[in-house]
Amino acid sequence: MTKAEDFQPMLLQSLEPRPKRMTFNRLGEGKDGGPPEPASMGSAVYTFDSTFVPRDAHVEALANLRSFIAELSGAQQAYLLLNGTTSGNLGMVLATVRPGQKIIIPRNAHKSVLGGVVLSGAAPVFIQPEISAELNLVFTIKPEQIRQALLDNPDATAVLLTNPTYQGFCLDLAETERVVHQSGKLLLIDEAHGPHFRFHPDLPLSAMRAGADIAVQSTHKILGPFAQTSVLLVNSQRVDDIRLRMAMTMITPSKISHLLAGSLEAAMTQIAEDGEAILQRVIDMTENARDRINQIPGVRAIGREVIGKSESVVDVDLTKLVIDVAGLNLSGYRAARVLHDDYGVSAEMAGATTVTMVVTLGNDQKDLDRCVTGVEQLSRRQRSARAQSSPLLHILALQTPPMGRQVLVPRDAFFARKARVPVPESTGKISGESVIPYPPGIPVLVPGEEITPEIVEYLTSVRRTGIEIHGCEDRSISTLRIVDEREFLHNFGSGWG
Ligand SMILES: Cc1ncc(COP(=O)(O)O)c(C=O)c1O
């Protein structure tokens, strides 16, 4: 452990000005629109973090902010989340699904959804999202899949979906709402990437407008407050209010940071006052960049043409810039690295053959110009180099194995004692961890599932490609953490099989 006198304040030092990353344009900008430099952070920031605000005033201000956000978002209630959508997803599942009850979720749900499943003791029923072979990207879920999952699991309590995806693909929320509520289930939406939808008519349908019971939004990802500030919105007679409040108390700090909540207040005030105009500017800049990128050889910026290519995508978020670099024989990861290191353009995320840029309220035309120029240079440079196929593409050719049987609910697997075994010896055991290859970002295993021979074979092939594996302890995927058989026999009866 680092001794106090050796401590280096790395957080502040790491705030070197980076050209692409947004800054909130009301709380003060650094040079050239970049984040504030460490020195400029000064003491001003700390004055916002006052602990001396009278308690009553503090409570009143927070209640005031909550009703403002609720009203603005078309919700009955809003909870402030200062630990991101992660905490909201935990609270949302904890508040709505009891131990052993079923919750229908996409297989590629954010890890915090699985966290909520562990906390609540719920039994997940997974739906596989559609993969676009053309774009090497994960799309979303079709209403038909939800209808089928509800037919197969009439005892399910809730359906929790991610909308939009990281890349801005949107499922048919209106039809989904009809299907889910007709069966008397709760509709919960992880709307981490859609806090802006409500504020512009050309953006996709928001969860609250569609009639979802609860939605969680990462306000910080798009609308400009400090990182980690999110909101949970409720609009439902079906949700047990008291249980939700108790769940939220469990996942919320007792002392709310003035600095974070203040930045949320400023962001929401800004969007309330000028939302449509600000978002129009962002959409126009992004559409213009998309058109220019589409003139560049070997690359393609994905836009509205993707709508309707599959029933799982009925709309797209026009503020996302998803660039397909497959025509350059380059992986998205490599392209993102070159764009960042050589052209000062930071992508939000990379995939097998795509790079996703999030254009926020803090970005300006210069940022978008830099992005287009970077992609131009990348294209020129890559076309003059000898084309080399990316090994990442081979992983996509691999057939994902069917899910293993769920022997334990994730909560029991989480608490069980674990053992580590080499992958080839794991057949027939119960996984004690998630294993998520990127791409495509869909778990092959989640805790509590049986490890089948097909999964072992798949993991062995995946390992050879050297792609990134998330969720598990040994990311080289030579070993797996499994539920200790002796403990299982002791706690759960005569075994599995
Ligand atoms: C779909 C989805 N849900 C939830 C989260 C967690 O968001 P936060 O960083 O606000 O905790 C993310 C993070 O990127 C996400 O992509």
Side-chain angles (χ1 to χ4, degrees), residues 84-86 89 110 112 162 166 190 192-193 218 220-221 230:
T85 292
T86 294
N89 282 343
H110 188 258
S112 54
T162 310
Y166 223 117
D190 175 352
H193 300 282
S218 292
H220 67 97
K221 289 191 196 296
S230 288

Side-chain angles (χ1 to χ4, degrees), residues 128-194:
Q128 286 289 0
E130 194 187 5
I131 296 185
S132 159
E134 185 196 346
L135 296 174
N136 295 318
L137 269 178
V138 181
F139 274 168
T140 72
I141 305 274
K142 301 176 193 171
E144 189 44 44
Q145 290 177 277
I146 298 163
R147 194 174 290 119
Q148 192 58 50
L150 285 166
L151 278 176
D152 296 344
N153 300 277
D155 50 343
T157 303
V159 177
L160 191 160
L161 299 166
T162 310
N163 191 66
T165 64
Y166 223 117
Q167 287 76 23
F169 301 135
C170 295
L171 50 78
D172 188 343
L173 207 47
E175 179 60 9
T176 299
E177 187 273 337
R178 220 175 51 76
V179 169
V180 173
H181 284 156
Q182 249 175 13
S183 346
K185 315 297 179 196
L186 290 171
L187 178 60
L188 314 174
I189 302 290
D190 175 352
E191 203 175 30
H193 300 282

Side-chain angles (χ1 to χ4, degrees), residues 233-279:
L233 306 168
V234 195
N235 202 1
S236 176
Q237 306 305 328
R238 301 174 194 87
V239 173
D240 178 341
D241 254 10
I242 299 177
R243 204 166 127 207
L244 176 64
R245 200 174 332 129
M246 288 171 72
M248 296 313 288
T249 310
M250 289 182 206
I251 53 95
T252 312
S254 51
K255 170 80 182 82
I256 298 289
S257 153
H258 244 63
L259 183 64
L260 296 188
S263 78
L264 188 57
E265 187 175 63
M268 295 313 282
T269 309
Q270 173 173 264
I271 205 75
E273 284 172 9
D274 290 331
E276 192 170 328
I278 296 173
L279 285 165

Side-chain angles (χ1 to χ4, degrees), residues 334-345 374 377-378 381:
R334 178 80 196 127
R337 169 101 350 250
V338 175
L339 284 171
H340 178 273
D341 291 353
D342 298 353
Y343 305 111
V345 180
Q377 306 280 354
L378 178 73
R381 172 169 146 178

Side-chain angles (χ1 to χ4, degrees), residues 47-324:
T47 61
F48 283 100
D49 197 30
S50 169
T51 46
F52 301 111
V53 182
R55 194 180 140 67
D56 288 352
H58 183 67
V59 170
E60 191 191 343
L62 293 175
N64 191 36
L65 176 57
R66 284 180 58 191
S67 13
F68 173 58
I69 295 175
E71 196 188 328
L72 205 58
S73 313
Q76 289 158 349
Q77 287 187 69
Y79 287 89
L80 311 184
L81 303 168
L82 302 189
N83 198 17
T85 292
T86 294
S87 64
N89 282 343
L90 297 179
M92 177 158 72
V93 182
L94 190 58
T96 52
V97 194
R98 291 172 212 270
Q101 284 185 337
K102 289 182 180 169
I103 179 169
I104 297 172
I105 52 183
R107 184 69 172 176
N108 64 336
H110 188 258
K111 59 189 173 191
S112 54
V113 172
L114 195 63
V117 166
V118 167
L119 285 187
S120 72
V125 174
F126 292 109
I127 317 184
Q128 286 289 0
E130 194 187 5
I131 296 185
S132 159
E134 185 196 346
L135 296 174
N136 295 318
L137 269 178
V138 181
F139 274 168
T140 72
I141 305 274
K142 301 176 193 171
E144 189 44 44
Q145 290 177 277
I146 298 163
R147 194 174 290 119
Q148 192 58 50
L150 285 166
L151 278 176
D152 296 344
N153 300 277
D155 50 343
T157 303
V159 177
L160 191 160
L161 299 166
T162 310
N163 191 66
T165 64
Y166 223 117
Q167 287 76 23
F169 301 135
C170 295
L171 50 78
D172 188 343
L173 207 47
E175 179 60 9
T176 299
E177 187 273 337
R178 220 175 51 76
V179 169
V180 173
H181 284 156
Q182 249 175 13
S183 346
K185 315 297 179 196
L186 290 171
L187 178 60
L188 314 174
I189 302 290
D190 175 352
E191 203 175 30
H193 300 282
H196 52 314
F197 283 4
R198 193 176 175 83
F199 304 104
H200 195 286
D202 294 345
L203 291 176
L205 183 64
S206 72
M208 285 294 107
R209 211 161 247 152
D213 295 288
I214 309 183
V216 191
Q217 301 179 335
S218 292
T219 322
H220 67 97
K221 289 191 196 296
I222 318 250
L223 297 182
F226 286 132
Q228 294 184 201
T229 47
S230 288
V231 294
L232 181 142
L233 306 168
V234 195
N235 202 1
S236 176
Q237 306 305 328
R238 301 174 194 87
V239 173
D240 178 341
D241 254 10
I242 299 177
R243 204 166 127 207
L244 176 64
R245 200 174 332 129
M246 288 171 72
M248 296 313 288
T249 310
M250 289 182 206
I251 53 95
T252 312
S254 51
K255 170 80 182 82
I256 298 289
S257 153
H258 244 63
L259 183 64
L260 296 188
S263 78
L264 188 57
E265 187 175 63
M268 295 313 282
T269 309
Q270 173 173 264
I271 205 75
E273 284 172 9
D274 290 331
E276 192 170 328
I278 296 173
L279 285 165
Q280 187 63 55
R281 187 183 65 89
V282 175
I283 293 171
D284 289 346
M285 283 190 311
T286 315
E287 287 282 62
N288 174 268
R290 221 184 315 274
D291 289 346
R292 287 156 66 200
I293 288 171
N294 280 331
Q295 312 294 318
I296 302 172
V299 294
R300 171 164 66 130
I302 296 158
R304 296 189 72 89
E305 75 287 346
V306 84
I307 297 173
K309 284 217 161 155
S310 147
E311 270 171 60
S312 82
V313 180
V314 301
D315 210 345
V316 293
D317 176 0
L318 297 174
T319 71
K320 296 281 184 296
L321 198 50
V322 182
I323 305 168
D324 181 1

Side-chain angles (χ1 to χ4, degrees), residues 229-492:
T229 47
S230 288
V231 294
L232 181 142
L233 306 168
V234 195
N235 202 1
S236 176
Q237 306 305 328
R238 301 174 194 87
V239 173
D240 178 341
D241 254 10
I242 299 177
R243 204 166 127 207
L244 176 64
R245 200 174 332 129
M246 288 171 72
M248 296 313 288
T249 310
M250 289 182 206
I251 53 95
T252 312
S254 51
K255 170 80 182 82
I256 298 289
S257 153
H258 244 63
L259 183 64
L260 296 188
S263 78
L264 188 57
E265 187 175 63
M268 295 313 282
T269 309
Q270 173 173 264
I271 205 75
E273 284 172 9
D274 290 331
E276 192 170 328
I278 296 173
L279 285 165
Q280 187 63 55
R281 187 183 65 89
V282 175
I283 293 171
D284 289 346
M285 283 190 311
T286 315
E287 287 282 62
N288 174 268
R290 221 184 315 274
D291 289 346
R292 287 156 66 200
I293 288 171
N294 280 331
Q295 312 294 318
I296 302 172
V299 294
R300 171 164 66 130
I302 296 158
R304 296 189 72 89
E305 75 287 346
V306 84
I307 297 173
K309 284 217 161 155
S310 147
E311 270 171 60
S312 82
V313 180
V314 301
D315 210 345
V316 293
D317 176 0
L318 297 174
T319 71
K320 296 281 184 296
L321 198 50
V322 182
I323 305 168
D324 181 1
V325 294
L328 297 178
N329 272 317
L330 200 60
S331 79
Y333 297 92
R334 178 80 196 127
R337 169 101 350 250
V338 175
L339 284 171
H340 178 273
D341 291 353
D342 298 353
Y343 305 111
V345 180
S346 302
E348 180 74 12
M349 163 177 248
T353 55
T354 52
V355 177
T356 300
M357 311 281 176
V358 176
V359 185
T360 69
L361 313 195
N363 287 118
D364 60 18
Q365 191 56 50
K366 266 196 308 199
D367 295 331
L368 273 299
D369 289 345
R370 179 161 38 217
C371 172
V372 175
T373 309
V375 176
E376 247 160 26
Q377 306 280 354
L378 178 73
S379 159
R380 190 164 307 139
R381 172 169 146 178
Q382 184 67 12
R383 279 179 300 124
S384 59
R386 188 175 309 160
Q388 259 189 351
S389 174
S390 160
L392 273 172
L393 297 179
H394 301 304
I395 183 71
L396 296 160
L398 289 175
Q399 194 68 43
T400 314
M403 286 181 263
R405 191 165 51 98
Q406 193 181 103
V407 185
L408 298 179
V409 292
R411 179 199 188 93
D412 289 340
F414 175 81
F415 285 113
R417 190 166 305 133
K418 313 287 191 310
R420 179 178 296 291
V421 293
V423 169
E425 290 166 32
S426 67
T427 310
K429 311 283 186 208
I430 302 177
S431 181
E433 59 187 355
S434 293
V435 179
I436 316 171
Y438 271 85
I442 300 176
V444 173
L445 282 168
V446 301
E449 288 180 349
E450 185 177 349
I451 306 166
T452 62
E454 292 81 13
I455 291 174
V456 168
E457 198 181 312
Y458 178 81
L459 292 178
T460 312
S461 314
V462 158
R463 190 168 170 229
R464 282 193 217 109
T465 66
I467 69 160
E468 272 184 47
I469 309 280
H470 291 242
C472 50
E473 225 175 82
D474 174 5
R475 291 171 70 167
S476 74
I477 210 78
S478 333
T479 58
L480 281 177
R481 249 159 80 84
I482 55 157
V483 171
D484 190 315
E485 216 160 306
R486 285 157 307 172
E487 157 130 348
F488 180 84
L489 290 175
H490 179 69
N491 286 336
F492 303 99

